[in-house]
Amino acid sequence: LHLVDLSGSERVGKTGVEGNLLKEARFINLSLHYLEHVIVCLNKKAQGENLHIPYRNSLMTVVLRDSLGGNCKTRMVATMSAEEPDIDESIGCLLYTSDAADDLLCGDL
């Protein structure tokens, strides 16, 4: 069972974070990018394309390799805020999870 908490993956310009928090937010956002890339590649592979799945681009995707491309059931839980100042972040979260779900459901993952 793998549980990954990606809290803190907000837009760094909006939050004004600096120092170590800025580095952490950048790594989280980069990991999300690589996770999406792996999911897209897995979907293409499930549709018959012969391509490399870039698990090694991120430590998170290396750890989640069996959960994403193995014989496992994978769930993604997205939490967001309904507060007015957070609407842009909530919409971005919904779009990300919607795209990931579309790719996961289109392939036989």
Side-chain angles (χ1 to χ4, degrees), residues 12 15-27:
V12 293
T15 59
V17 297
E18 296 177 349
N20 286 338
L21 289 176
L22 177 61
K23 285 174 73 173
E24 182 179 328
R26 284 184 179 158
F27 281 123

Side-chain angles (χ1 to χ4, degrees), residues 31-103:
S31 293
L32 280 171
H33 168 75
Y34 289 133
L35 175 62
E36 182 177 18
H37 190 79
V38 165
I39 291 170
V40 168
C41 288
L42 286 168
N43 182 28
K44 288 180 180 180
K45 188 170 186 170
Q47 294 178 3
E49 289 188 38
N50 186 18
L51 53 93
H52 169 73
I53 309 299
Y55 291 111
R56 290 193 222 159
N57 287 350
S58 164
L59 178 60
M60 181 176 69
T61 55
V62 168
V63 170
L64 294 176
R65 181 180 185 149
D66 290 337
S67 296
L68 294 169
N71 191 17
C72 298
K73 292 185 179 188
T74 301
R75 301 290 182 259
M76 182 182 292
V77 177
T79 59
M80 58 214 71
S81 170
E83 299 294 321
E84 182 70 33
D86 301 322
I87 292 296
D88 288 342
E89 292 299 317
S90 296
I91 290 171
C93 182
L94 286 170
L95 290 173
Y96 179 86
T97 53
S98 175
D99 288 346
D102 286 346
D103 286 329

